[in-house]
Amino acid sequence: MTHWFHRNPLKATAPVSFNLYGVASSPAANKICNDLRTTRARLLDMFTDATCTPEIMKKSSDEYFALIQGFILPLDGTTQENKLRFIQNFKWTDTLQGNIASAQQDAVFELVSMAFNVAVWYSKFASRLETHIPRLITPAEKGRDLEPRVIDTYIVQSQAEAQEVTIARAIELKHNASLIAALSFETANFYQKADHTLNTLDPECSSKWKKYLQLKQHFYMAYAHCYHGQTLLAGDKCGEAIRSLQEAEKFYSRAEALCKEYRQMKGPGSTAKPSEQLFFKKLGTFIKNTLEKCQRENSFIYFHKVPAETPALELKASYGLAEPTPFELPPLSAQCTPEVYATFDLTKGPKEDKAKAKHDEEIKPVKEPDLKPQKDTGCVVS
């Protein structure tokens, strides 16, 4: 994955003590604060733990989300804001903005920021994050992670990358060429949509990401035209097949050029090396061999004229499309009862946190594990 997919860095965050001395006026209330601190720290550790599995991540995130909702959901039988929502300050960096953190004294900001990181870790869960974002008191600034354009791009990229796995599997199992062409075409369209979503974002923070999305779009357009050419040849349309494969060559050459441009760009995130992978290289060879075969057969059998216009890719996959897995927050922790909630006394404000940082504090980036790629079979992409 580290060599095939571009990954923006995880969000980093400042430690949170949840020291609500005075406010938490019962043992049960103090236990909630202590558990919030320990479950948050444990969840953050999971982001950098190379041995963390999806099951462990779900358990760790559920434990924290179940507790933090006690600072968000109304617990006093009314529809008013939870009195604890704005009591604790939280600081998070953004994946495209470097190490300078933004801060909000809002538990909803903490929930969506942590959920964003979990979504990046899972990738496929990103499409369910927007439900809480409209509740933020302070709107997301342009280019920040919770801004609609950035969220939407992550969602579409996640769908595209999930579909890449389907394409690799279809090729490995030698599925019908028309299905592979249709899946590739739709995947290319996902990448183009993601690229266009970033068009109005500051190029300084988005150019590298956009270049990755563009190279993937061209790569899968090459796949679509290549396999569409195979379909046309099977239907005895050799001239159209040649033209389709010539178009595949153009898209593949452009994808190679975009790979070089991408590697030379500076910006947030890891630098993938797709053009060095067997899955990438095999396509170039496959296009060349298939085109030569079509040209030979046209010279000896079909004698078809090669059209000037590229055959249209009016393709729609009938099955195999990736669907996002629904994501739901866990139930509220059993510790967060109305009785315990009543023992948080806001008239006795918490002591000033000596470690409280400024709004624009620089936070050390998350040191993510360096995962070595598996043996490259030429088909598996992650």
Side-chain angles (χ1 to χ4, degrees), residues 340-356:
V340 176
Y341 179 73
T343 65
F344 284 94
D345 186 357
L346 296 192
T347 63
K348 301 174 182 177
K351 294 179 181 178
E352 196 68 29
D353 189 352
K354 293 180 181 179
K356 188 174 180 179

Side-chain angles (χ1 to χ4, degrees), residues 10-16 18 36-47 57 60-66 68 72 90-93 106-122 125 129 133 136 145-146 327 329 366:
L10 286 167
K11 295 165 74 68
T13 182
V16 179
F18 291 102
L36 276 165
R37 182 174 62 254
T38 56
T39 55
R40 186 181 196 267
R42 188 182 306 125
L43 176 54
L44 292 174
D45 285 343
M46 291 302 100
F47 292 135
M57 176 59 72
S60 298
S61 58
D62 280 358
E63 287 174 350
Y64 181 61
F65 290 151
I68 196 64
I72 297 170
F90 300 95
K91 303 178 187 68
W92 285 89
T93 63
D106 186 349
V108 172
F109 175 67
E110 166 70 0
L111 175 68
V112 295
S113 297
M114 188 69 82
F116 186 98
N117 247 18
V118 173
V120 170
W121 195 90
Y122 277 115
F125 288 155
L129 286 181
I133 292 173
L136 288 170
D145 286 337
L146 305 181
F327 173 76
L329 288 169
V366 178

Side-chain angles (χ1 to χ4, degrees), residues 225 228 309-315:
H225 281 289
H228 188 48
E309 294 293 321
T310 304
L313 291 174
E314 296 174 349
L315 307 172

Side-chain angles (χ1 to χ4, degrees), residues 295-307:
Q295 289 170 333
R296 281 196 308 271
E297 293 195 8
N298 200 42
S299 299
F300 289 107
I301 304 171
Y302 294 102
F303 306 104
H304 289 172
K305 181 179 179 181
V306 178

Side-chain angles (χ1 to χ4, degrees), residues 48-120:
T48 60
D49 187 345
T51 65
C52 180
T53 64
E55 293 75 22
I56 295 172
M57 176 59 72
K58 185 175 191 319
K59 182 176 184 295
S60 298
S61 58
D62 280 358
E63 287 174 350
Y64 181 61
F65 290 151
L67 285 166
I68 196 64
Q69 287 182 93
F71 280 33
I72 297 170
L73 301 177
L75 298 175
D76 56 2
T78 72
T79 57
Q80 296 181 348
E81 288 285 3
N82 188 308
K83 66 184 180 183
L84 301 174
R85 175 177 171 179
F86 305 109
I87 200 169
Q88 178 69 58
N89 196 43
F90 300 95
K91 303 178 187 68
W92 285 89
T93 63
D94 292 272
T95 58
L96 301 180
Q97 304 292 333
N99 300 332
I100 302 301
S102 55
Q104 290 191 38
Q105 195 145 328
D106 186 349
V108 172
F109 175 67
E110 166 70 0
L111 175 68
V112 295
S113 297
M114 188 69 82
F116 186 98
N117 247 18
V118 173
V120 170

